[in-house]
Amino acid sequence: MPASVLPWREKVVAKKPTYNSVYNMDKLFILLKDGKVLKGIKDKSCSHISIPDSVTSIGRGAFYGCTSLQGIDIPDSVTEIGERAFEDCTSLQSIDIPGSVTDIGWDAFEGCTSLQYIDIPNSLTKIGRGVFKDCTSLRSIDIPDSVTEIGWYAFEGCTSLQSIDIPDSVTCIESSALDGTKWYANQPNGMIYINKVLYKLKGETGSKAIAIREGTISISSYSFEGCSSLRSIDIPDSVTEIGWYAFKGCSSLKKIHIHRKNPCDINVDASAFEELYGDCVLLITPGTRWAYRHHPVFGKFKNIET
């Protein structure tokens, strides 16, 4: 659900410099496991690099802090990009991730402040924690319909990011995934829905009672954090997942009405309803008391009514 669509979609291509000499692979790269794992680079002054096609995995922090790197060619032999692999490559302007890549680690491109274009392949099912965090030049993003989850802080701090195309396939968007973007700044106060995900309550609601929209399937982590005026909330039976600490700091919340017959997925160690078990009433559908009373989270409520 794009909040806005920019009238342009320009792919920025990093210009490849002309070298006076050809690098010897062994002198440039730190390779392990018969050349399959790229562990690091010996010369961080390179502005453009072509990864050898023997490589299947780009290791953790392999290009961390390569501030001169403007462009990189990744062959389709690569299936994995490790955590922080390109973190703080502040001159990197564009990158094409081949369709062979099925996993991108946490913070892989964090702090790539010149990155204006990224091609996300449909081989990915998840955009992990902080992958594009603080990519301040990134203006638009198209997420393929193979993706089902956008992780914590995935695009946080992408201050130029205005156009976001998120498909219906995405059913989980974690806390702060889009905070600090131009897209988020342009959203009005109130509940922010992204397709069938309730991402966040922005600003303080004037209403003491909230009914979550029918058809919503997940409530993001920390989505109602600190909403001290909220007294009651109505959750439809379409909701199958409630994220970590979704109602943390909702000190006035006295009634939660859940219409789902089978308790939805909820983290036991980081409960959405922490601090609410004593005074808040859990209102459930008749005939479901046993399921809720014996649930590891909902069963903690002292007051369960039908």
Side-chain angles (χ1 to χ4, degrees):
M1 182 196 70
S4 61
V5 178
L6 301 185
W8 40 259
R9 180 73 66 182
E10 179 183 359
K11 177 178 177 178
V12 179
V13 180
K15 184 179 180 181
K16 299 182 182 181
T18 302
Y19 295 116
N20 294 324
S21 61
V22 178
Y23 281 111
N24 182 294
M25 189 191 311
D26 294 333
K27 292 182 179 180
L28 180 60
F29 299 112
I30 302 172
L31 300 172
L32 302 176
K33 297 183 179 179
D34 297 325
K36 292 183 178 180
V37 177
L38 198 163
K39 184 67 174 177
I41 185 170
K42 298 176 182 178
D43 184 357
K44 291 192 174 186
S45 66
C46 297
S47 58
H48 189 279
I49 290 174
S50 293
I51 293 176
D53 57 14
S54 64
V55 173
T56 60
S57 175
I58 300 174
R60 177 177 180 177
F63 295 93
Y64 173 81
C66 290
T67 56
S68 297
L69 186 62
Q70 297 177 29
I72 188 161
D73 294 328
I74 301 176
D76 57 14
S77 58
V78 173
T79 60
E80 177 187 12
I81 298 174
E83 295 178 13
R84 306 178 68 186
F86 296 94
E87 185 177 358
D88 289 342
C89 291
T90 53
S91 297
L92 187 62
Q93 298 175 28
S94 69
I95 189 164
D96 286 315
I97 301 173
S100 55
V101 173
T102 58
D103 183 61
I104 300 178
W106 288 5
D107 309 317
F109 298 95
E110 180 181 350
C112 293
T113 54
S114 296
L115 189 63
Q116 299 179 47
Y117 172 81
I118 185 79
D119 185 19
I120 300 176
N122 58 16
S123 53
L124 289 176
T125 59
K126 178 181 179 178
I127 298 175
R129 179 176 179 140
V131 169
F132 300 107
K133 186 176 184 291
D134 294 332
C135 291
T136 54
S137 296
L138 192 63
R139 296 174 292 185
S140 64
I141 197 81
D142 289 329
I143 296 174
D145 57 14
S146 58
V147 173
T148 60
E149 180 179 349
I150 300 176
W152 299 69
Y153 320 113
F155 297 97
E156 185 185 34
C158 294
T159 53
S160 299
L161 185 57
Q162 181 173 344
S163 175
I164 307 172
D165 190 352
I166 300 177
D168 289 337
S169 60
V170 175
T171 57
C172 177
I173 302 174
E174 288 290 5
S175 177
S176 300
L178 300 168
D179 287 17
T181 65
K182 187 173 289 188
W183 176 88
Y184 182 77
N186 289 337
Q187 301 303 306
N189 285 346
M191 288 192 288
I192 299 175
Y193 290 93
I194 302 174
N195 299 328
K196 296 180 180 180
V197 177
L198 199 173
Y199 174 60
K200 180 173 285 192
L201 174 65
K202 183 180 179 182
E204 184 70 34
T205 178
S207 175
K208 295 181 179 180
I210 288 178
I212 293 175
R213 189 167 68 188
E214 290 285 345
T216 300
I217 60 176
S218 69
I219 300 171
S220 297
S221 298
Y222 292 95
S223 49
F224 290 91
E225 182 184 17
C227 186
S228 58
S229 64
L230 183 63
R231 295 188 61 84
S232 69
I233 191 158
D234 193 271
I235 302 175
D237 61 1
S238 57
V239 172
T240 59
E241 182 179 357
I242 302 176
W244 292 17
Y245 302 118
F247 299 96
K248 181 179 177 61
C250 294
S251 54
S252 299
L253 189 57
K254 299 301 179 184
K255 184 176 75 172
I256 300 169
H257 190 179
I258 297 181
H259 295 267
R260 188 170 179 81
K261 293 182 179 180
N262 297 315
C264 56
D265 290 337
I266 191 167
N267 187 283
V268 175
D269 297 322
S271 171
F273 306 108
E274 202 72 35
E275 304 168 351
L276 297 174
Y277 299 125
D279 297 330
C280 187
V281 175
L282 179 64
L283 188 61
I284 58 176
T285 302
T288 63
R289 180 183 291 272
W290 190 93
Y292 279 89
R293 177 55 68 191
H294 290 84
H295 189 272
V297 173
F298 293 110
K300 294 180 181 180
F301 279 90
K302 293 181 178 180
N303 301 304
I304 300 179
E305 301 178 1
T306 58

